[in-house]
Amino acid sequence: MSLKMMCVGAHPDDECFAFGGALATAADRGIETYVLCLTDGQAATYRGEAASGEALGKIRRDEFAASCKVLGVTHHELMDYQDGRLEFVDFSKAAGRLVERMRRFKPDVVITFGGDGGLNTHNDHMIVSALTTSAFHWAGRAKRYPDLATPFQPRRLFYATANFFIPDRPVPLPSPWTVKLDIRSVQQRKAEAFRNHPSQGPVMETTRLLFEQYGSEELYTLIATEGMHAAKLSDDLFEGLKES
């Protein structure tokens, strides 16, 4: 079986803004990818031409699908949680939905936001981090959600981190990186994927110069893995992993 990676985000455009390089480079290596997005982004500050939250959600669902296609994502799913309200979900039920998907997809690597909430310190990103972290560990435990598919333990969990901040935003407390991913070969595809989110055009414009300066790499922190060993720097999320 080929290697697999699952990416869990909160909003349409997370998949390209935060994780686009990892997803595109994985696709180029023949790695099967699954992007799971918890909300349709109805509460976004930028509304595009949408006359209502429901209309914006429909627009952003279509944008998400188009972006995933550009990135070469194998499977993508947009769930039904309310944008801007993830901190109020039933944590155990929401984590269970992620557990079920991990058990069925069987990813080797899982990537998500760090507990700082990412570059924009978004509360939804913080909750996604907590949910994904719990699901990562619970997916392999037979006593957790025994009725939700066969237990399966993913092999590595990474948080996205960064070496720059967005001006005029609250400063996050990011985790130190252990993986520096060279994404120059897919940098233009990542930008193209972001352009498939025209409703969020102002975000693209405010971050354009930052991505011109820092956009040739993505940084990740290894949070959990098989075995016990000291942290080390790497340039590959799949280093040492073999197809099963």
Side-chain angles (χ1 to χ4, degrees):
M1 296 176 62
S2 63
L3 293 170
K4 298 181 179 181
M5 179 167 70
M6 175 178 279
C7 173
V8 187
H11 314 105
D13 78 16
D14 288 344
E15 79 290 337
C16 53
F17 186 92
F19 309 105
L23 290 168
T25 55
D28 284 354
R29 294 171 61 178
I31 293 169
E32 190 175 354
T33 55
Y34 180 2
V35 176
L36 188 59
C37 180
L38 271 65
T39 85
D40 63 6
Q42 289 192 27
T45 300
Y46 302 110
R47 317 292 291 176
E49 298 180 355
S52 66
E54 183 179 359
L56 179 61
K58 173 62 168 62
I59 290 170
R60 299 200 70 189
R61 284 177 178 272
D62 293 341
E63 291 175 347
F64 172 68
S67 171
C68 285
K69 183 176 181 179
V70 170
L71 295 172
V73 171
T74 317
H75 315 280
H76 63 273
E77 178 182 1
L78 202 154
M79 300 179 76
D80 55 3
Y81 290 104
Q82 187 175 351
D83 182 16
R85 304 282 295 176
L86 287 182
E87 62 193 283
F88 303 110
V89 302
D90 182 317
F91 191 95
S92 182
K93 288 183 179 179
R97 295 179 76 184
L98 300 188
V99 165
E100 182 176 25
R101 285 156 175 78
M102 288 184 190
R103 287 175 176 175
R104 294 192 185 282
F105 181 61
K106 297 179 172 58
D108 298 282
V109 168
V110 176
I111 58 176
T112 191
F113 288 103
D116 61 333
L119 285 170
N120 61 351
T121 64
H122 199 299
N123 286 349
D124 282 354
H125 296 170
M126 295 177 180
I127 299 303
V128 163
S129 179
L131 287 168
T132 306
T133 301
S134 295
F136 173 90
H137 292 288
W138 289 343
R141 298 183 184 179
K143 292 184 178 181
R144 298 295 301 176
Y145 309 101
D147 298 327
L148 298 181
T150 303
F152 172 83
Q153 181 58 65
R155 300 160 78 180
R156 291 178 185 168
L157 173 65
F158 290 93
Y159 289 168
T161 189
N163 59 349
F164 66 92
F165 299 133
I166 299 177
D168 303 321
R169 294 287 186 97
V171 176
L173 298 173
S175 55
W177 60 85
T178 58
V179 174
K180 182 179 288 188
L181 195 62
D182 184 343
I183 66 165
R184 286 175 293 180
S185 64
V186 298
Q187 192 172 352
Q188 293 306 311
R189 276 163 52 200
K190 176 175 178 174
E192 181 185 350
F194 201 10
R195 287 193 292 272
N196 274 275
H197 292 274
S199 70
Q200 304 306 297
V203 177
M204 288 183 255
E205 185 57 32
T206 58
T207 58
R208 179 175 54 81
L209 294 179
L210 289 173
F211 277 101
E212 286 179 2
Q213 182 175 358
Y214 299 102
S216 64
E217 60 191 23
E218 287 179 356
L219 302 174
Y220 293 88
T221 305
L222 178 62
I223 297 299
T225 187
E226 300 170 311
M228 295 181 290
H229 55 79
K232 63 176 183 177
L233 294 176
S234 175
D235 59 3
D236 183 3
L237 298 171
F238 292 85
E239 181 179 4
L241 294 184
K242 297 180 179 179
E243 296 183 3
S244 58

